[in-house]
Amino acid sequence: MALVTFQILDGMERGLVYADIPTPFTIGREEDNAIQLNDERVSRFHVKIQEDKGRIILTDLDSTNGTRVNGRPVQLHVLEVGDHISIGRCLLVFGSPEEIVARARELNEQDEESAAKSSGGKAGPTGRGQTVAESQQIEEGYTSSNLFGVEEVLFPFHPPPLPRELPLAQRAQLTDLLAFIHDELRMVIEAGEEANSKAKQNKPRVVDWHTWQQLLRLEMQIAAYLREAAEPDQP
């Protein structure tokens, strides 16, 4: 049984801190919820919070208006300290102020260590005319937030880790699934051509209509996978 804390940032309960709540529990409009949110857009029992193998899992309980984490709609999601959860008009943050400060300090230390390694132990601009932070983004890979300037993303800190406790057959299935997505994306990337542009840097690349439709079909297939994984018993 894990103890978790939620802070209410917006809504009728704004400013309240629900500290050290034992899991599992629910959040919703009814009094029987561990966290009650007085908002007609919140379902009677909106989400469930539970612990599984050391991770805190949020599950949307087929709510009428859905649940968003860091601005993105979710049905099933592994929470991390600092995540923002939107339920109706209410905005909650997962973790206590102390936990969030500790996570920020940890992330800053990791950034500083990576920056020191990438600059040979020296802070400051890199030899390519970029700051250390900019160099890190290129060398360590982009996320949707730092690539497109998007603020509301589901994983603002880093991509989610791969599950480690899977048996051999499920690991093989996961490998096949990721290989399928990887191959589909590679075909789209290889089909792209540099557009005629006066820009010296960051020239756009274009794909034909059929390739674009292939990318849209892939996104729809991934959406179907997400729904099937979150609701395996649904037809």
Side-chain angles (χ1 to χ4, degrees), residues 129-179:
Q130 300 159 327
T131 65
V132 170
E134 291 170 340
S135 177
Q136 279 180 255
Q137 289 179 351
I138 293 174
E139 294 173 4
E140 298 178 3
Y142 288 109
T143 64
S144 57
S145 58
N146 60 39
L147 181 58
F148 297 111
V150 178
E151 295 181 357
E152 292 187 340
V153 292
L154 186 55
F155 305 102
F157 299 114
H158 54 72
L162 284 172
R164 299 295 183 184
E165 303 86 359
L166 296 179
L168 179 60
Q170 291 184 355
R171 292 206 308 272
Q173 287 179 299
L174 178 60
T175 300
D176 288 343
L177 176 61
L178 293 175

Side-chain angles (χ1 to χ4, degrees), residues 177-196:
L177 176 61
L178 293 175
F180 161 70
I181 296 173
H182 180 272
D183 288 347
E184 291 287 305
L185 289 174
R186 175 164 291 278
M187 285 189 284
V188 172
I189 292 171
E190 291 178 348
E193 297 180 354
E194 188 173 278
N196 292 327

Side-chain angles (χ1 to χ4, degrees), residues 69-124:
V69 176
N70 300 322
R72 303 298 299 275
V74 300
Q75 292 175 294
L76 192 68
H77 183 68
V78 178
L79 290 176
E80 293 194 33
V81 169
D83 278 349
H84 289 193
I85 300 97
S86 298
I87 301 176
R89 297 187 181 91
C90 304
L91 180 62
L92 301 79
V93 63
F94 174 61
S96 66
E98 294 78 15
E99 289 172 329
I100 293 173
V101 168
R103 177 163 176 74
R105 185 179 297 115
E106 177 185 350
L107 293 171
N108 287 337
E109 290 174 353
Q110 292 175 359
D111 288 344
E112 290 173 0
E113 291 176 1
S114 297
K117 290 179 181 179
S118 64
S119 61
K122 297 180 181 180

Side-chain angles (χ1 to χ4, degrees), residues 57-79:
I57 312 298
L58 178 148
T59 304
D60 183 273
L61 300 176
D62 294 325
S63 64
T64 301
N65 294 303
T67 303
R68 290 176 175 265
V69 176
N70 300 322
R72 303 298 299 275
V74 300
Q75 292 175 294
L76 192 68
H77 183 68
V78 178
L79 290 176

